[in-house]
Amino acid sequence: MYYKETGFRGWYRRFVAFPMKDEYKLPMINYPHIEKANCLLAYGYIDREAGLTLEVLATGFEQEERCTFFDPPERARFSLPGERMENEEFLLMDDRDKRLSSRYGKKLAGLQKYAAGEEIEKTREMRFLDDSRHPFFPDDVQVYLMRQGLKPEPCWTRISGLAENWIKGVLLNEPEQDFGCHQGEEVAINLDHTEDGKVICYANMNPGRLLKPEDLADGTMLRQAIRTFQAEGTKEAFFEILETLRDSYVWVPCNAVLGEEDQKAFAEMMDKAGDDPAALVGMEMKNQEKIRLVPDILQNGDNFFFPAFITQEDMGQYGQYFSKVKKHFLEVIALARNNKKQLSGIVINAFTEPWILDRKLFDLVEKLESRLVQEN
């Protein structure tokens, strides 16, 4: 049975046959039986940059909805943009027995480079986004930028991932109004419903309330933001944590690492003490090199986390074994990102009221505007 389909789901990851056109024959001159062929076999995939695309696998001959396909030259390749197929009828090809998947396995393997990752695939399954999707670029959605004092402005945004409470996207065009964001920057996509029940995407670009450094000094505001989110779990509460973190200072536990010469000097002191550790009491050693402070890393199962604490006291007994260094949170993000271990994120107050900033959100926090009042 022939179908007509304008949505990407009619083509995506499916084998379809559709009529051969004369305009296709010249670029496919090296395909076998090109003059006899009256249909093409294709497989639908999504190229993030080019949009919905049909990879032509073979020419064929169709009669009474039964198709015979002719294998193409091994290195031959021909593809068609989904936009050109908008009004075409096509025949869905049954591949439950994996016959087509096996026969054209090599060609399909070449499409793996277009794989978008698990999070993007999940968003492609979200039918509630379909009202906002570009018809031929399924990962692009129209997002309304919202800011007090400005008119809502639609902006095409390419989905880049998923967070706990929203969808991440990158702006594809420069907003006409000053929303405090620009083309190429990441925004948080939220969802709302219109009066007629349609789902729309929007990004709240209203800045949070302004702060003074003393508002953040004792960590009470950050602690309360985390508690509020843990109690309510709302998007607003989550963003309050991110915006507060962006301007906060936190405490990092570090191991003191001596330089090579200082390590030798310390080893000599230990040798002099022999079997009597008490002999070390009162002995002094002046370091000749800079002492490096290396942040400690916590492990939970197979995952590693960079620990940061709101106050020194939040470290508890754990903190007794480390030097404590106060760092701006943006510095902490840089340290965590550049750690030789592949860290899963930053954990705040790991031993009391733990809260984790996932590694995937580092960029978003860095791009947030500061809420601190600028002194004249």
Side-chain angles (χ1 to χ4, degrees), residues 35-54:
E35 293 302 327
K36 177 182 178 182
N38 64 2
C39 70
L40 298 174
L41 174 68
Y43 184 81
Y45 67 96
I46 296 171
D47 179 335
R48 296 263 293 169
E49 299 298 324
L52 177 63
T53 307
L54 290 170

Side-chain angles (χ1 to χ4, degrees), residues 25-178:
K25 291 187 176 182
L26 182 59
M28 300 181 68
I29 192 66
N30 293 326
Y31 283 66
H33 307 291
I34 191 65
E35 293 302 327
K36 177 182 178 182
N38 64 2
C39 70
L40 298 174
L41 174 68
Y43 184 81
Y45 67 96
I46 296 171
D47 179 335
R48 296 263 293 169
E49 299 298 324
L52 177 63
T53 307
L54 290 170
E55 182 75 9
V56 175
L57 303 175
T59 55
F61 185 77
E62 181 269 333
Q63 188 173 21
E64 297 181 355
E65 297 188 6
R66 294 181 64 87
C67 299
T68 301
F69 297 113
F70 314 118
D71 289 341
E74 185 173 342
R75 296 187 178 181
R77 185 176 183 190
F78 182 62
S79 61
L80 292 167
E83 188 170 1
R84 291 182 60 181
M85 307 302 296
E86 181 179 13
N87 297 313
E88 293 289 348
E89 291 185 341
F90 64 93
L91 184 68
L92 286 175
M93 304 302 297
D94 184 3
D95 193 43
R96 283 174 291 186
D97 58 3
K98 303 299 181 183
R99 178 175 53 85
L100 293 175
S101 299
S102 176
R103 181 175 178 180
Y104 300 104
K106 286 186 178 180
K107 277 191 170 290
L108 296 180
L111 302 181
Q112 287 301 311
K113 61 183 178 182
Y114 299 104
E118 182 179 352
E119 292 184 359
I120 302 300
E121 287 293 344
K122 284 182 180 179
T123 66
R124 291 172 180 174
E125 297 171 3
M126 296 177 178
R127 290 183 176 269
F128 54 81
L129 291 176
D130 287 357
D131 288 337
S132 301
R133 292 187 196 274
H134 190 286
F136 304 111
F137 289 76
D139 297 334
D140 297 354
V141 293
Q142 193 171 62
V143 176
Y144 286 87
L145 305 182
M146 315 284 282
R147 186 165 182 160
Q148 190 172 3
L150 300 177
K151 295 180 180 180
E153 182 177 326
C155 187
W156 283 109
T157 305
R158 181 158 294 160
I159 294 173
S160 56
L162 287 173
E164 187 173 357
N165 294 283
W166 72 90
I167 300 169
K168 296 189 291 183
V170 176
L171 297 180
L172 296 179
N173 54 274
E174 183 69 19
E176 294 181 4
Q177 303 172 84
D178 184 9

